[in-house]
Amino acid sequence: MTCSSSAKLCGTSIESVCPRDEVSDAIFNSIDTLGHIIECVRPKKSVFGGGSTGKASDDNSTTESWVRTAVCIIPMLEYLINIQARFDFQTVFEGGGSRRTTLSDSDAKALLDSGLFRELLSLYTCTQDESDASNVVRLQLLRTCFALSVQAPEILGRYAIRVPDLVKEVHASIFMDENLVDGILWTALGSSLLESKLEAPKPRLKLRTNAKLNLPPVDTSSLAERCNSGFEQLCKSCNSALTSYKFIVEKEDQSEADENEARQHKETLGSIVKFSNYLSNCPHGIKIWLDSLNNKEDAPQKAKTAISDLRSTLARLPSYAGDETGVKGVDHKKDDDNDNSSTDDHSEIRQKATSLMQRRKDFRQVVSLVRSSVKVIALALESQKGAGLSLKTPMSSYNASSKTD
């Protein structure tokens, strides 16, 4: 397939080089074959329990097979739905150029009937004990399955949340702790489809207990409660990251530990950008999230308060608007500054000033993205309409800017 860079070199658009409708049709015509391929490489569990069938020496080759297959198939599915869910829910193509911008009900039913969607979920659930390297691909596979689910929540979404091994993992509190945004999204989808605003009884579990058993505590909170709790945690973590990141930017002497901490804060702030991209680019995304909030009585107000606190923090941050003209004293040099010591001192001062300017520039770009993301989320909360709300946000790169809160 021709890539976008080669298309630019040819002086034409990627849509004209590779017509999207024709490519999408070709992928849809191959979904049965893709399903069979995944079934062939998917690790098989023994009917007597334990690990995968086959010899232990074949474990590495089995892992490599499904990882390579998933890496090849995931981009095809992203092409169909125009969402790069494995990264940060950005769109694959900007603008129009295709009749098929989302999955129709017939497309979703075709994916389900072909067995491809079932095999994708099975591949995820049967590879839980893989290595850390393959877990990266496994998480990308899960995010792609979620993106497909929200394209057609009544067809693919309902099917996904009825897979016991999948739900057991993605609705667990430990999954929310390790993958905050993913946990919010999966609990929101489950709450939207399974929990009713009018009939949301508190779950009651009747278990036969045995004093000799040491059972782990059971999470009896509703999916709506977990979703809202995760969103509040997302806002709090971003609040803390913004404050700490600003402090690191202003430090005169930067250590390697400071650089690593700043990188961690950027990753934390990237989570709210990812959540905003989901609301903006995924069909039914806003409706699903608002449904889950409305399934808990005080959740909408708590969400508004959390996002309001984050906006207040953003308003207090410095803009560093004058840094483009340079730092005072950087480009000035005394006439008698001819000895080596003076030259070294001046070079060190210049280096520190340049480094400070670069850190402030990076900070300004990150804050701009976060501000735009918070604005999108606030608009979604204020709408309380869900379906039909259209939001467009410049989340494609750090060049995006927004001067409003």
Side-chain angles (χ1 to χ4, degrees):
M1 181 181 297
T2 306
C3 63
S4 57
S5 58
S6 62
K8 291 180 180 178
L9 292 176
C10 295
T12 183
S13 65
I14 183 64
E15 287 82 2
S16 61
V17 175
C18 296
R20 288 171 56 188
D21 290 327
E22 294 182 13
V23 176
S24 298
D25 290 338
I27 296 175
F28 262 106
N29 292 333
S30 305
I31 57 178
D32 292 295
T33 303
L34 295 177
H36 289 308
I37 292 174
I38 295 178
E39 184 180 9
C40 291
V41 301
R42 172 168 53 85
K44 305 298 190 299
K45 298 296 183 180
S46 172
V47 295
F48 300 104
S52 303
T53 59
K55 298 180 180 179
S57 59
D58 295 334
D59 289 346
N60 291 335
S61 60
T62 301
T63 300
E64 292 176 359
S65 296
W66 79 257
V67 168
R68 288 197 302 266
T69 302
V71 168
C72 293
I73 292 180
I74 288 175
M76 299 182 193
L77 301 174
E78 290 178 340
Y79 196 99
L80 290 179
I81 61 179
N82 195 29
I83 296 292
Q84 291 180 315
R86 53 179 164 154
F87 299 127
D88 52 5
F89 289 99
Q90 293 185 27
T91 56
V92 178
F93 297 98
E94 294 293 340
S98 175
R99 300 185 306 273
R100 182 184 287 134
T101 56
T102 60
L103 287 182
S104 63
D105 288 345
S106 59
D107 293 336
K109 192 173 185 304
L111 281 174
L112 195 60
D113 293 341
S114 67
L116 175 58
F117 189 64
R118 180 189 68 247
E119 289 299 330
L120 291 170
L121 296 174
S122 298
L123 179 59
Y124 177 80
T125 57
C126 73
T127 53
Q128 295 180 356
D129 300 325
E130 299 294 338
S131 63
D132 293 338
S134 59
N135 276 335
V136 174
V137 178
R138 186 170 179 265
L139 183 59
Q140 293 180 355
L141 176 63
L142 176 66
R143 290 169 177 169
T144 303
C145 291
F146 176 81
L148 290 169
S149 299
V150 296
Q151 289 274 330
E154 291 297 331
I155 300 175
L156 300 180
R158 286 194 179 276
Y159 184 91
I161 61 175
R162 284 176 169 81
V163 178
D165 291 340
L166 174 70
V167 173
K168 180 181 178 181
E169 181 175 348
V170 299
H171 288 172
S173 57
I174 188 174
F175 181 82
M176 178 82 76
D177 295 337
E178 296 175 353
N179 307 280
L180 184 56
V181 176
D182 298 283
I184 295 172
L185 299 183
W186 277 107
T187 51
L189 178 63
S191 176
S192 175
L193 295 176
L194 299 179
E195 296 176 343
S196 170
K197 181 180 178 181
L198 298 178
E199 300 176 359
K202 190 174 182 180
R204 297 180 180 178
L205 300 178
K206 296 182 179 180
L207 301 175
R208 292 183 179 180
T209 59
N210 189 329
K212 296 181 180 180
L213 295 178
N214 185 17
L215 298 175
V218 178
D219 189 356
T220 59
S221 60
S222 67
L223 293 174
E225 289 174 319
R226 295 179 225 175
C227 177
N228 184 60
S229 176
F231 179 74
E232 289 183 273
Q233 178 60 37
L234 175 64
C235 293
K236 289 179 182 179
S237 62
C238 288
N239 255 320
S240 176
L242 284 171
T243 304
S244 301
Y245 186 24
K246 171 184 172 295
F247 175 76
I248 294 176
V249 168
E250 292 298 332
K251 287 185 66 174
E252 183 175 353
D253 296 323
Q254 294 283 312
S255 64
E256 184 177 353
D258 293 328
E259 294 178 358
N260 293 333
E261 185 177 352
R263 191 176 300 110
Q264 293 176 357
H265 293 322
K266 287 181 181 180
E267 292 177 357
T268 300
L269 296 172
S271 297
I272 202 160
V273 176
K274 182 191 300 183
F275 185 77
S276 170
N277 287 343
Y278 160 75
L279 295 180
S280 299
N281 299 327
C282 289
H284 313 289
I286 296 176
K287 181 182 184 302
I288 289 172
W289 182 49
L290 293 183
D291 284 348
S292 68
L293 292 180
N294 291 330
N295 287 336
K296 185 72 172 63
E297 184 177 358
D298 56 348
Q301 185 57 44
K302 286 185 176 180
K304 290 180 181 179
T305 301
I307 207 69
S308 177
D309 293 342
L310 187 52
R311 296 179 78 173
S312 299
T313 301
L314 287 167
R316 294 192 298 267
L317 294 176
S319 63
Y320 300 127
D323 280 5
E324 290 82 357
T325 58
V327 178
K328 184 178 180 181
V330 173
D331 295 326
H332 295 283
K333 187 175 182 180
K334 295 181 180 179
D335 295 335
D336 57 351
D337 193 10
N338 295 321
D339 58 290
N340 293 334
S341 61
S342 298
T343 302
D344 293 341
D345 292 341
H346 181 79
S347 176
E348 183 179 356
I349 294 174
R350 184 183 183 88
Q351 183 177 4
K352 288 184 177 181
T354 303
S355 177
L356 176 61
M357 286 171 44
Q358 183 61 45
R359 293 198 303 273
R360 287 181 172 181
K361 180 181 178 181
D362 294 341
F363 179 81
R364 188 168 63 248
Q365 292 173 336
V366 171
V367 170
S368 176
L369 271 177
V370 174
R371 182 176 287 112
S372 299
S373 301
V374 169
K375 183 177 180 180
V376 168
I377 298 172
L379 287 174
L381 286 170
E382 291 171 2
S383 70
Q384 286 298 310
K385 294 179 181 179
L389 180 62
S390 176
L391 296 175
K392 189 65 179 176
T393 175
M395 296 292 130
S396 58
S397 68
Y398 277 116
N399 293 327
S401 62
S402 173
K403 297 182 179 181
T404 59
D405 290 330

